[in-house]
Amino acid sequence: MFGDLFEEDNSSVPNSWYEKGKKSKTKTLEPPAPREFTNLSGIRNQGGTCYLNSLLQTLHFTPEFREALFSLGPEELGSLEDKDKPDAKVRIIPLQLQRLFSQLLLLDQEAASTADLTDSFGWTSNEEMRQHDVQELNRILFSALESSLVGTSGHDLINRLYHGTIVNQMVCKECQSISEKQEDFLDLTVAVKNVSGLADALWNMYVEEEVFDGDNLYHCGTCDQLVTAVKSAKLRKLPPFLTVSLLRFNFDFVKCERYKDTSCYTFPLRINLRPFCEQSESDDSEYMYDLFSVIVHKGGCYGGHYHVYIQDIDHLGNWQFQEEESQPDVSLKALRIGEETDDPLMVLHAILSQESNLIPVDQLGQKILKKTGLSWNQKYRKQHGALRKFLQLHSQIFLLSSDESTVSLSKNCSLQSKEDFQRNSQRVFKTLTSETPEFNGGTSCPHWFDINDSKVQPIQEKDIEQQFQGKESAYMLFYRKSQLQRPPEARANPRYGVPGHLLSEMDAANQELRAERAQWESASNHLELHLHLSPHYRLVSGALHPVVSPAESVWHWTFDKRRTLGELRQAVFQLLDFWEGDMVLSVARFVPAGLHIYQTLDGDERTLCEVEIADGEDIFVWNGVEVGGVQIQTGLDCEPLLLNVLQRATSGEGAKCEQWVESSHVFPSNAEVGTVLTALAVPTAVICLSSADSMGKHSWSAVPTEDLKKTFREHGLRNGSSLLIQDSDSGDPSLLSRQEKWNIRTNENNWLQVINACQLESEEQQVKISAAVNTVVFDIRIKAIQELKLMKELAENSCLRPIDRNGKLLSPVPDSYTLKKADLKMGSTLGLCLGKAPTSTQLFLFFTTESDGGPGTEMEITVEETVSVKECLKKMLEQSGLPGNTWHLRKMDWCYEAGEALREEDATLKALGLRSGDTLVLMEGALPPPGFLKIPIWWYQPWDPSGHHQILEDLPSSATTQDGAWRTASSPGARGNPVEPSQASLHYLGDVDISEDAALAELKAQAMTLPSFSEFAVPSPTFLRAWTVEGRRPGRLLRSNQLQLRECRLGRRAEVCLERLQREEHLGPQDLVLRAQLRLPGERTYSLPVDVVWDTARGCTAASLRQRVADIYSLPVEKVDMAKHFPEKFEWIPISSWNQQISKRRKKKKQDNLQGAPYYLKDGDTIGVKNLLAEDDDDFSTVRDDLGKEKQRQLALGKKKSREAHRAQSSNAFSVTEMSTRPRGTEASLSIHVGSFR
């Protein structure tokens, strides 16, 4: 079974023989697990969709929403089978929601999938791995549903169930006139900061009045004068379902960072909204609302996890709790490991009682499989739930670690005898609804569940109080009118309201699932065994080989692994009616030398699962002593090894020739290496073994005479290893290393390589030091100094520093550490450096400088962990020789950029969580005040009116940076080169200090006041287009002039470039700005670029773009060909209307979206346009593209040569490489793509 791991041409057993007669067993996928004891289905997390799962479960457990969606039939929504037809209007999102809800109601699986639903949203795999805010999703999903249901009877579904109105009133105290303004809402957003709870927040919003008096008077239109007035707000219209969003995320303007408010915030299970509404004659019952869903967020403001507490209105789930009765002490000897029982407590206790230490929970699951023949999921999960949950519920018996990864028996654990235990320790499932009143009018105990992605657990109402405060706390609340009643036939009836076609689909799916589980159950409990019969084998060269064809020597048999070894032996005995004498079954395996017997199977009462027989195992049937009259050695110790032996060829007269001959020989792995000479009939010779040095270079090492008595295994030889037999009187070094000397081998697994990084001359630049995991670093350092023959004084002033794969010296390792404590692996490379290692109270830090001139050289410093940020900054400035006091420190983030600023100057490094090896960045300039941004402004010049790129000589002398240069100036170009942002000029104008609350128009207006801006004639800010600067070129387009900079998500280190427009521009949210260039016929050139503003509201498709481009150039649509330019690759990808992408999940065609793969169309991209009436070839490239590709090829070749040269020199010299920086990825917003159905 190991034969395919070796590919030796001269093997004594061909590789093809191992596969003959063996049937390849298809590995079937395990079907989805059935529902757990709650009888409710969860939703699988696609990587970061816990927020989506929580909201979907809330909508699913809103029966009125679910049934209203089910009431829309295929005649209104269309059919999913027609979604790829060009003229069909299929409302995919509502259809996929219908299917998901029907699966959650009826499909017998532990968790449903949202893959099809997110596909209908237009989300990619990246979107599914990125977590978003559930409050934002709630609004976007409702908007997408409203757009999808336009023109159907469900067009007012969202408005009817969730829409409410608020009235804002201003009452004049002089004339009592009332000014009103009404606004709609789908959810109420309430404050959390400085508020005790929901009632307090609603009181502040809808009861408290704001008085305008004194210096803050109100101008009354009726009185036509400034008067005292009162402003108030009231709820005018309440929806059937009230959604409340809690503002737990806030911004600290002192620290300039976001934070999550985890203070206590109470909310009632039932609330009367009458005090917050306009006065009316209605009864109080009209204003009563009951809580039925709480979406909980666990984590901080930059990440976390969502789950949801939901009330099961229709009692669809099995709401039961497990309680334990006390158990008196009894001896544990009543349990026997081999004893069969259906009680999981007995099984788990019997297994853990044999373990002296903690064991992993995953390993416990494997032991359950071995003991019972079934996994926990197959045998116990449906009745008792998940294994970890079961262990938690029995905490008086089982002790779980804090991370729930390991388990052991509790010290106070006690069990009764088996009979008493089975009688007294049955779980008491206490159903909290002891009575079942009428569904309409009667009051029953609410059924609450905690739905956490795939997991569903029952909870009690009192558990909701735990979500009032803390890092895991309520984030969204959902209330329903108390007057809403459910029909009696809906109680505990998941089929209620589901359309007939979905009922049929779910019934068929359940039937298919049952068939798959039955097939899986059968397949998972059957082993395929390969029986090898000893009469058909003989021993050849230390291994067993068949004397007949493989088809006759091997019998393939399928056997149930739950049956015993004795039953297997009896079945084989009955099958082989010719067998006489004893029958022994042994596990055998194929090795390159042949078949070898490893282990004899004994214990006829044990099952095959307990014996640990694997699927596809080779079983050798023999008498346990000999095969063909030859006694057989068994076990791992005497495993035959197939070795390649090189020795000089012998001429016909017996003389040695110059030619070397390689031959294969088989030796037991427990034999002495010296037996090679006996087997080859060589009286005296030197045996050499092949070895590799740290650079991967192979050489031959002689085996010392005293090591000839060591076994092949002790020398580390494996199948395929090579031996060289060298005559002891021969001096021929042709097969030895280039140094032409004999190398005494060292165990390659027990050494560390130490490089001389002290910049001191020595005979050796690197040495190998033998070590073990418990060796102290001090001993290795002293030994390295001795073997490198360096000055003994270095013993007091040196340290060892690990070297990473990029050649960078890492933080020094304290001398007192062992290799295990320092986490140093054998074979690692260390640098011997000047300077002492930091003590336990010191920090070794890297730091670098970053200013307008770019990043500087990385330096190192050792400081006490108790120093403040201010003191550390001062020391770093002194060491780097930087003048001035306008510097600050930032942490280097995970993408090697200056990240979070260290704002608390008086805080210690230890308090801020800094550790040895961290990197800090010295940033030039003082930190901006809280709530303000310092934004560098650039002038973006893509092209000039003459068609040439503007260059330095074309500019006024005053329009330069402080050093008088353009940062990214491009060379003069003819009209034939496509204009890309990377080729355009970016000219630095200056910095603007501006509030985060300012609008984009204010930023443009302030930029126009910069001295360098006076040379550019721009009439107003509306003639400017703003882009972010990413990687020294335009990145993201900033659209709305009224948008606040905070909403633009610029970040703390954002830069903005401005582009001059010929006329005012007002871009919509779905407008895409592209640069179109028409290709000149017969020339590999393009005309001047033209801005194309393309409305993608009706779909970002190739056909829509082609129509827009055709209108601009006045060409027939069918005679227009397009391609997108990728400047970084110097390539063009043609854009075809017939391009189809294939979904990896369902192998169905989807309508092309140019903003997805492979085009990823975005603002500022260049589109090449070809007139097919004048030119009909497929080439879009230019001469510049040819030159660019050639340059890239040369650069790649140069990098490859440089890497090879670096590897060659790394053994003799060591240099610290500068850190590479990676551009930060842009933050993506959440969106759902919906087709047009108007």
Side-chain angles (χ1 to χ4, degrees), residues 471-485:
K471 287 190 175 181
E472 183 177 5
S473 50
Y475 191 58
M476 284 189 78
L477 309 175
F478 297 83
Y479 286 87
R480 56 183 287 124
K481 270 195 173 182
S482 302
Q483 287 185 337
L484 293 176
Q485 297 295 330

Side-chain angles (χ1 to χ4, degrees), residues 121-124 1072 1094 1096 1099-1102 1139-1141 1150-1161 1233:
F121 291 169
W123 291 0
T124 62
L1072 205 60
W1094 173 35
T1096 63
C1100 188
T1101 63
N1139 176 64
Q1140 298 288 346
Q1141 299 176 21
K1150 303 193 299 184
Q1151 186 179 10
D1152 58 328
N1153 184 347
L1154 298 185
Q1155 290 180 317
Y1159 304 107
Y1160 301 104
L1161 208 61
H1233 303 285

Side-chain angles (χ1 to χ4, degrees), residues 467 574 968 979 1160:
Q467 308 305 331
Q574 294 176 358
T968 314
V979 176
Y1160 301 104

